[in-house]
Amino acid sequence: MLSTRFLKRKLPGLIAVLLDFGLIVVFLYSFASILSITGLRVILGALPLLSPEVSAAFLLTVLFAAGGSYQTNTASIGELSLKRPFVILAVLYTWVFVFLSLEEEWLTSFPRFLLKFLIIICIFWSTLALQRFLLHLTLSHLVKRGWLQHNLLLVFHKTPASAYLKEILRYTKVNNLNVAGYCCSKRDDCAIIQDLPWLGSFEQAHEVVQNQAIDEVIILNHSHKTRKTEQLLAQLDTREVLVRLAPWSFEGSGDAGGSLTASPLTALAVRAQQATLLYRLFKRLFDILAALPGLVFFLLSFPVLAWLIKKSSKGPVLYRQERWGKNKRPFTLYKFRTMYTNSEEQGPQLAAPDHDLRITPVGHFIRRTHLDELPQFWNVLKGDMSLIGPRPEREYFAKQLEKILPYYPFINSIKPGITSLAMVKYGYAHNLEEMAERAIYDLVYLNKQSLATDVQILYQTLLYLLKKLFASKQ
């Protein structure tokens, strides 16, 4: 018998696969000229058993699957992506446009076909959207009737602000989510949650998740008891249960709730977003294309920077340091040297915000303009790093962050980068506390991984560098 978890997580995607495949077959048979004009009928016609239309429908469905079109949103039953198939269709249309524009015999007649093809794609995507909507509507109706449930558990040490709790309960009611209850160190007398069952202590939350078939856990006030939170995260299977850390700025005093304008879904999920195959391929290609000109710029600037570094102080031009990469795999990171040699004889230290005597005269300029990061394009080309990703840390500091940040191991689950959301939003961290504050931006990035996010971060990085380069020194 099919489990409830299967019905909620896998079945919507499987149904969408079958519906999409059938829809594509119908469209290709209805508009047979598409395969003929693009030359696909000849290629696919050579395949045995299947007709060109069925083969094309199968390949497009596989392409949709590789792009993550059938991944179900864990927090919403039956909700599938519409943006991903739209992007894939846009890429296919661009490919057809380029293909036909290179064929001389089509130079006079292909604009009419391209217009027709564009209309067909728009109709297809609209039908696809309607199909997705009806599927989501059907499953949402099952949830509303109680035949399927998305069970949510609240976990906290002390009662959060009443306004925030009200917002959570309002959200669950609107979305037909079932709040199974709450786990707290001791039974709470808060009037807002008196109607919710107390299911156990904070330490018993993982047992409650297993016994009550919980789908989502929201941890409130987690920053006050990081060790217990870390233990809870280690006990939960985050591949099956969505765990959210509620923004602590919404908690605490009654005033915190006054500025609450976002729904609880702005809470950060403690799990790296499942990157699709296409996203990983495009990101790696993007990294290589960015690393090559970056290395060219590095080689062009090397003579000047090497001369300035050597003139400023004795020691090597390049600085090598071991950092943690993806899944804690160590690698050697390269930078232009900006400090005097033997500057860490007393052990690992972070640069001071002002007047760090270990930094050489030219090192201040190189660090302020981030030119010291240029050699890391070699790390990107090798695959140790990506262009966009959390900054890699030394093992000494990474282990300390693991002790105070329960979610830090999740940040290490993706490849580090030269620049990051944390860099453009926070900048350099000069102590462990600032490193912990900056890490929240890395968790935000884990929740928003996409090519669009990467391009936005890259654009913000360019603006950040221009401001650093031309801003007057304070």
Side-chain angles (χ1 to χ4, degrees):
M1 185 174 178
L2 297 178
S3 66
T4 303
R5 191 176 298 277
F6 175 83
L7 291 173
K8 291 188 289 187
R9 303 283 178 82
K10 303 298 182 183
L11 189 59
L14 293 177
I15 295 175
V17 167
L18 297 176
L19 293 175
D20 287 0
F21 178 77
L23 183 64
I24 297 169
V25 170
V26 170
F27 266 76
L28 290 178
Y29 273 113
S30 301
F31 305 100
S33 60
I34 294 176
L35 295 181
S36 301
I37 293 177
T38 56
L40 292 176
R41 183 173 297 280
V42 176
I43 298 174
L44 298 176
L47 299 177
L49 301 177
L50 301 177
S51 66
E53 287 80 6
V54 174
S55 299
F58 175 77
L59 292 176
L60 185 55
T61 305
V62 170
L63 193 60
F64 281 170
S69 300
Y70 304 117
Q71 291 180 359
T72 306
N73 185 348
T74 310
S76 182
I77 298 175
E79 184 176 332
L80 299 171
S81 173
L82 279 173
K83 181 175 69 175
R84 289 168 177 170
F86 176 82
V87 172
I88 292 172
L89 291 173
V91 171
L92 288 177
Y93 181 82
T94 304
W95 174 79
V96 171
F97 180 89
V98 174
F99 172 77
L100 292 182
S101 64
L102 297 177
E103 297 290 330
E104 294 184 5
E105 62 269 23
W106 287 99
L107 288 178
T108 57
S109 58
F110 86 89
R112 180 179 298 176
F113 169 77
L114 286 177
L115 178 60
K116 176 183 176 183
F117 188 41
L118 179 60
I119 294 173
I120 293 172
I121 285 182
C122 291
I123 296 174
F124 173 78
W125 186 83
S126 300
T127 309
L128 191 73
L130 178 62
Q131 185 176 277
R132 293 278 203 277
F133 173 74
L134 292 176
L135 177 61
H136 179 59
L137 194 65
T138 301
L139 292 172
S140 297
H141 178 70
L142 295 179
V143 172
K144 191 172 184 178
R145 295 293 297 270
W147 295 345
L148 287 177
Q149 285 188 335
H150 183 87
N151 297 319
L152 185 144
L153 176 69
L154 302 179
V155 181
F156 48 86
H157 292 282
K158 66 177 183 178
T159 309
S162 59
Y164 190 64
L165 279 174
K166 285 181 179 178
E167 181 66 11
I168 289 179
L169 297 178
R170 185 200 64 80
Y171 163 77
T172 57
K173 184 177 181 180
V174 169
N175 291 275
N176 301 310
L177 304 182
N178 177 49
V179 182
Y182 68 96
C183 287
C184 183
S185 299
K186 56 183 178 179
R187 195 183 297 264
D188 203 278
D189 296 327
C190 178
I192 300 176
I193 57 176
Q194 282 182 351
D195 295 333
L196 297 178
W198 179 77
L199 300 177
S201 65
F202 190 98
E203 293 77 5
Q204 295 173 317
H206 71 284
E207 298 176 3
V208 174
V209 168
Q210 294 176 349
N211 297 332
Q212 300 285 336
I214 299 298
D215 299 294
E216 180 175 348
V217 176
I218 297 183
I219 303 178
L220 308 171
N221 295 319
H222 62 89
S223 58
H224 303 290
K225 300 285 185 179
T226 55
R227 176 56 61 183
K228 289 184 178 181
T229 305
E230 182 179 6
Q231 292 173 352
L232 177 58
L233 291 175
Q235 292 166 334
L236 296 176
D237 185 357
T238 55
R239 295 170 299 179
E240 297 293 338
V241 179
L242 180 63
V243 182
R244 297 185 188 272
L245 298 181
W248 45 86
S249 60
F250 292 166
E251 303 169 16
S253 66
D255 295 336
S259 59
L260 182 60
T261 58
S263 82
L265 276 182
T266 54
L268 299 174
V270 186
R271 178 175 59 199
Q273 187 184 62
Q274 292 295 323
T276 65
L277 176 62
L278 284 181
Y279 171 67
R280 295 198 300 269
L281 290 176
F282 276 118
K283 183 166 186 175
R284 181 57 187 153
L285 178 62
F286 185 66
D287 287 340
I288 294 173
L289 294 177
L292 292 175
L295 285 173
V296 171
F297 184 67
F298 160 68
L299 293 175
L300 292 176
S301 61
F302 184 86
V304 176
L305 292 177
W307 180 76
L308 291 173
I309 292 171
K310 282 289 188 180
K311 183 181 179 182
S312 178
S313 63
K314 295 181 179 180
V317 173
L318 295 180
Y319 180 66
R320 298 171 178 83
Q321 195 174 70
E322 188 175 276
R323 299 286 180 100
W324 271 11
K326 182 179 179 180
N327 296 324
K328 303 182 183 181
R329 182 176 61 86
F331 71 96
T332 301
L333 178 138
Y334 299 92
K335 301 180 72 173
F336 278 117
R337 182 175 59 85
T338 59
M339 292 186 176
Y340 294 102
T341 56
N342 302 321
S343 60
E344 290 192 334
E345 291 181 336
Q346 306 299 322
Q349 301 176 51
L350 295 170
D354 299 306
H355 309 298
D356 193 321
L357 299 179
R358 299 174 300 155
I359 301 177
T360 65
V362 72
H364 285 286
F365 169 76
I366 295 176
R367 290 174 68 88
R368 185 163 63 89
T369 55
H370 292 270
L371 291 173
D372 56 327
E373 315 284 359
L374 285 177
Q376 291 167 37
F377 281 110
W378 174 245
N379 290 115
V380 173
L381 192 63
K382 286 174 58 183
D384 297 327
M385 297 174 61
S386 179
L387 186 65
I388 311 293
R391 287 297 296 162
E393 300 293 350
R394 284 181 279 179
E395 181 180 9
Y396 174 81
F397 293 110
K399 286 186 173 180
Q400 293 187 63
L401 288 172
E402 281 189 318
K403 294 178 180 179
I404 62 176
L405 297 179
Y407 50 80
Y408 192 72
F410 295 92
I411 294 176
N412 279 322
S413 65
I414 63 174
K415 194 178 293 186
I418 292 182
T419 186
S420 65
L421 182 64
M423 177 58 67
V424 297
K425 293 293 186 181
Y426 195 94
Y428 280 121
H430 303 98
N431 53 57
L432 196 63
E433 182 179 354
E434 291 183 358
M435 291 175 74
E437 291 176 356
R438 189 176 69 170
I440 193 64
Y441 290 103
D442 293 327
L443 193 57
V444 171
Y445 177 70
L446 260 70
N447 281 260
K448 299 292 183 182
Q449 289 184 84
S450 68
L451 287 176
T453 301
D454 290 344
V455 171
Q456 185 178 11
I457 292 175
L458 186 59
Y459 171 73
Q460 291 178 348
T461 299
L462 294 175
L463 294 180
Y464 171 81
L465 291 176
L466 289 174
K467 290 178 181 178
K468 295 278 284 188
L469 184 62
F470 295 105
S472 59
K473 189 176 180 180
Q474 301 298 325

